[in-house]
């Protein structure tokens, strides 16, 4: 009969402790995901469908802002429609034959996240051009150019996200939890660095720099018109919709990457980081609801623009009418 060494006993005890820690994390997340996802799914679905109805149907004239909002709502809907599958995968194991379906769902999920990030970045750049460079804006901005930019974003995200996500899933036999247990291929340094730099850091820098310069320009101009106030609200809502959901999730991805690189060895620390990344990814889905602030202010801005356009036409007609009346009086 073989005797177990003290090291073997300690290893088994640590393994049992790690298993218990991660089981506790899984139990907590089964509850939290329902708490987060059900309201996000219901509210986000209503808001984004309403946005598409307004921007596609009620607003006949398509401006640069409305085209961006339509594409942002479509990205949000892709993300929202994956949430029921994500909730089911947390509480149920899927058979091995569902590996390809899982890879497709995971690809669409990250497609919606990074598509939203790049559309918000394009909105910030579009605002920066329109406000900080108004003379160049006439040549650079148009609905047709905006459509081309949105198509490029869809193609760019398709070409970068989906092929990478397809290799995230372990091709082992047996049941598995979709959206969990990514293979070591998905945590390689080149992939994580690319995700952090091109998926978040660079777009975040662009959004923040454009937003700061726009707000500074508006303050320097001293304009306090309804359009300028609406524009400032759009800028702040865009910053909120970008930084609040995506900053914690990408910080969590970086910390989990450090775990895979062996930077953390303690089971409790690993379990806490696992809990943090799962909560952060849950909160990242709130972007589907935060984007509604942009929808509201864009629609409000369009209404104000139409109102000011009507008032300018009326003001142009009044002098013309008064001049013609004076001419009639002089001739008589």
């Amino acid at each position: 009969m073989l005797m177990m060494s003290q090291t073997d006993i300690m290893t088994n005890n640590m393994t049992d402790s790690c298993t218990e820690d991660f089981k506790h994390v899984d139990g907590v997340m089964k509850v939290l995901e329902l708490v987060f996802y059900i309201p996000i799914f219901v509210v986000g679905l209503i808001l984004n469908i309403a946005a598409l109805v307004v921007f596609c149907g009620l607003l006949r004239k398509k401006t640069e802002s409305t085209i961006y909002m339509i594409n942002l709502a479509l990205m949000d809907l892709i993300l929202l429609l994956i949430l029921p599958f994500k909730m089911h995968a947390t509480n149920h194991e899927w058979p091995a034959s569902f590996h390809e379906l899982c890879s497709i769902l995971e690809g669409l999920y990250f497609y919606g996240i990074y598509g939203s990030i790049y559309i918000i970045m394009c909105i910030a750049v579009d605002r920066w051009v329109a406000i900080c460079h108004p003379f160049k804006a006439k040549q650079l901005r148009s609905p047709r150019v905006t459509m081309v930019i949105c198509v490029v974003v869809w193609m760019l995200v398709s070409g970068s996200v989906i092929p990478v996500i397809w290799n995230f899933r372990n091709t082992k036999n047996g049941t598995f939890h979709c959206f969990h247990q990514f293979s070591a291929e998905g945590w390689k340094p080149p992939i994580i660095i690319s995700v952090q730099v091109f998926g978040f850091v660079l777009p975040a820098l662009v959004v923040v720099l454009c937003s700061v310069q726009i707000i500074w320009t508006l303050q320097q101009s001293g304009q306090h018109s309804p359009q300028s106030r609406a524009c400032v609200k759009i800028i702040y809502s865009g910053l909120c919709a970008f930084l609040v959901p995506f900053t914690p999730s990408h910080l969590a991805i970086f910390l989990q990457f450090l775990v895979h690189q062996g930077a953390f060895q303690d089971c409790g620390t690993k379990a806490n980081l696992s809990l943090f990344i799962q909560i952060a990814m849950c909160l990242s889905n709130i972007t589907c609801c935060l984007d509604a602030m942009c929808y509201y202010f864009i629609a409000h801005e369009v209404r104000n623009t139409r109102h000011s356009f009507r008032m300018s036409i009326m003001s142009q007609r009044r002098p013309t009418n008064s001049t013609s009346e004076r001419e009639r009086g002089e001739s008589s």
Side-chain angles (χ1 to χ4, degrees), residues 78-94:
I78 291 175
L79 184 61
L80 285 166
L81 294 176
I82 303 301
L83 290 187
F85 298 98
K86 201 168 186 296
M87 285 188 285
H88 183 274
T90 299
N91 296 284
H92 302 85
E93 289 188 335
W94 290 12

Side-chain angles (χ1 to χ4, degrees), residues 201-329:
V201 175
L202 287 181
L205 287 175
V206 171
V207 171
V208 171
L209 290 176
C210 288
S211 301
V212 169
Q213 192 166 359
I214 290 169
I215 294 171
W216 183 83
T217 301
L218 290 174
Q219 289 176 345
Q220 290 295 313
S221 65
Q223 295 181 5
H224 300 287
S225 63
Q227 288 85 355
S228 63
R229 289 195 296 269
C231 184
V232 171
K233 291 177 181 178
I234 292 170
I235 301 307
Y236 280 123
S237 63
L239 272 174
C240 182
F242 189 98
L243 296 177
V244 171
F246 298 129
T247 303
S249 61
H250 284 83
L251 174 61
I253 290 172
F254 178 70
L255 292 175
Q256 190 69 11
F257 166 72
L258 294 180
V259 171
H260 284 267
Q261 296 301 307
F264 302 100
Q265 300 294 333
D266 180 64
C267 292
T269 303
K270 289 182 178 180
N272 290 332
L273 289 176
S274 176
L275 180 62
F276 174 60
I277 189 173
Q278 292 184 68
I279 292 176
M281 293 305 294
C282 285
L283 288 175
S284 67
N285 299 302
I286 203 173
T287 184
C288 301
C289 300
L290 292 178
D291 289 339
M293 294 188 297
C294 298
Y295 303 151
Y296 171 77
F297 291 126
I298 287 290
H300 184 67
E301 182 190 37
V302 171
R303 287 198 301 269
N304 284 340
T305 302
R306 285 182 174 181
H307 177 71
S308 60
F309 179 70
R310 293 193 193 101
M311 294 299 293
S312 64
I313 292 177
M314 291 176 64
S315 63
Q316 290 174 4
R317 287 178 177 176
R318 283 169 186 166
T320 304
N321 292 336
S322 60
T323 303
S324 61
E325 288 175 359
R326 281 201 309 271
E327 290 176 351
R328 291 195 195 102

Side-chain angles (χ1 to χ4, degrees), residues 23-232:
K23 281 185 177 179
H24 176 69
V25 170
D26 292 340
V28 171
M29 288 310 304
K30 285 181 180 179
V31 177
L32 288 181
E33 285 199 355
L34 293 176
V35 173
F36 284 130
Y37 285 161
I38 291 177
I40 290 174
F41 177 75
V42 174
V43 176
L45 201 63
I46 294 171
L47 292 176
N48 284 280
I49 290 176
L52 287 177
V53 170
V54 171
F55 290 125
C56 293
L58 300 182
L59 298 179
R60 295 181 181 178
K61 185 180 179 181
K62 299 297 183 290
T63 64
E64 295 83 2
S65 297
T66 56
I67 293 171
Y68 280 127
M69 290 298 104
I70 290 170
N71 283 270
L72 185 58
L74 290 174
M75 290 292 186
D76 287 342
L77 282 176
I78 291 175
L79 184 61
L80 285 166
L81 294 176
I82 303 301
L83 290 187
F85 298 98
K86 201 168 186 296
M87 285 188 285
H88 183 274
T90 299
N91 296 284
H92 302 85
E93 289 188 335
W94 290 12
S97 58
F98 280 25
H99 271 290
E100 290 187 358
L101 173 62
C102 177
S103 295
I104 293 172
L105 294 174
E106 288 170 348
L108 289 173
Y109 178 76
F110 287 103
Y111 190 101
I113 288 178
Y114 290 103
S116 298
I117 286 175
Y118 271 84
I119 291 294
I120 294 173
M121 184 191 73
C122 291
I123 293 172
V125 174
D126 180 71
R127 290 278 153 187
W128 173 74
V129 172
I131 294 171
C132 299
H133 302 279
F135 297 106
K136 293 182 180 179
K138 294 180 180 180
Q139 290 79 32
L140 298 176
R141 296 177 75 242
S142 71
R144 180 173 295 180
V145 171
T146 304
M147 285 293 298
V148 172
I149 293 173
C150 290
V151 170
V152 170
V153 169
W154 284 86
M155 294 175 62
L156 177 65
V157 176
S158 299
S160 57
V161 172
I162 294 179
V164 174
I165 296 296
W166 196 261
N167 295 320
F168 274 18
R169 181 64 35 204
N170 281 316
T171 58
K172 296 179 180 178
N173 296 325
T175 58
F176 67 100
H177 282 287
C178 191
F179 296 95
H180 297 276
Q181 302 168 346
F182 286 155
S183 66
E185 187 75 20
W187 292 102
K188 286 185 175 180
I191 292 178
I192 299 302
I193 292 172
S194 298
V195 168
Q196 294 289 336
V197 173
F198 298 105
F200 177 70
V201 175
L202 287 181
L205 287 175
V206 171
V207 171
V208 171
L209 290 176
C210 288
S211 301
V212 169
Q213 192 166 359
I214 290 169
I215 294 171
W216 183 83
T217 301
L218 290 174
Q219 289 176 345
Q220 290 295 313
S221 65
Q223 295 181 5
H224 300 287
S225 63
Q227 288 85 355
S228 63
R229 289 195 296 269
C231 184
V232 171

